[in-house]
Amino acid sequence: PSGVLGRRLNLTVGELMLKDDDVPSVGLETPLKDALTEIVDKHVGCTAVLDDDARLAGIITDGDLKRILIKNPDALALPVSGLMTKSPLTIGAGVLAIEALDQMEMNPKGPVTHFFVVDEDGKLEGLLHIHDILRAGLK
């Protein structure tokens, strides 16, 4: 089926996710100022923080930036490793997009707008934003 029902039954996270250079990411020792630039340039509202093996180590969101800078206006020079949120929410590329949307809406800590997509080793493969799901007509 190629209609909405077919898309709901078949469309995966991997088919909708941002990939490669479209995914905002920085290294552990990247200064917060450069992470801010990555967030602004990629227009997603967050950046992945990766270790030396390209595994997802954390996340910095635009909301995190605001909270960090209110507490410490000089934080822009600090490395993100000490400022990031560890263990961000993740999902696999093979998960159905409609299931990802349900997980976003029903997250116990409140709705989320994006998931990092990682492989079984925790390496970053992409980013799924709720807008990608909505643009696909799944809701």
Side-chain angles (χ1 to χ4, degrees):
S2 60
V4 172
L5 179 58
R7 283 196 303 272
R8 289 178 70 92
L9 296 174
N10 298 314
L11 198 58
T12 65
V13 167
E15 294 172 279
L16 292 179
M17 70 184 184
L18 297 173
K19 300 174 188 167
D20 305 319
D21 290 338
D22 292 330
V23 180
S25 65
V26 298
L28 286 166
E29 297 308 312
T30 302
L32 185 61
K33 180 181 179 184
D34 294 341
L36 172 60
T37 301
E38 183 75 354
I39 291 169
V40 170
D41 289 350
K42 300 289 172 81
H43 307 286
V44 181
C46 68
T47 186
V49 180
L50 305 178
D51 68 13
D52 292 338
D53 295 320
R55 285 189 306 263
L56 185 63
I59 183 174
I60 298 276
T61 67
D62 50 4
D64 293 335
L65 283 166
K66 293 171 192 172
R67 288 183 287 279
I68 291 165
L69 292 173
I70 286 171
K71 289 180 184 176
N72 181 1
D74 298 323
L76 288 174
L78 298 175
V80 295
S81 59
L83 304 169
M84 68 186 184
T85 300
K86 296 177 182 176
S87 303
L89 298 175
T90 62
I91 199 160
V95 174
L96 290 176
I98 195 69
E99 290 177 26
L101 178 61
D102 287 343
Q103 289 180 36
M104 288 176 166
E105 292 176 332
M106 300 302 170
N107 182 47
K109 293 183 180 179
V112 296
T113 57
H114 48 267
F115 281 125
F116 286 111
V117 183
V118 296
D119 67 13
E120 56 277 348
D121 295 323
K123 291 192 176 185
L124 184 66
E125 293 187 317
L127 175 78
L128 179 69
H129 197 283
I130 194 167
H131 293 155
D132 300 322
I133 296 172
L134 298 177
R135 272 193 292 276
L138 297 184
K139 183 155 184 171

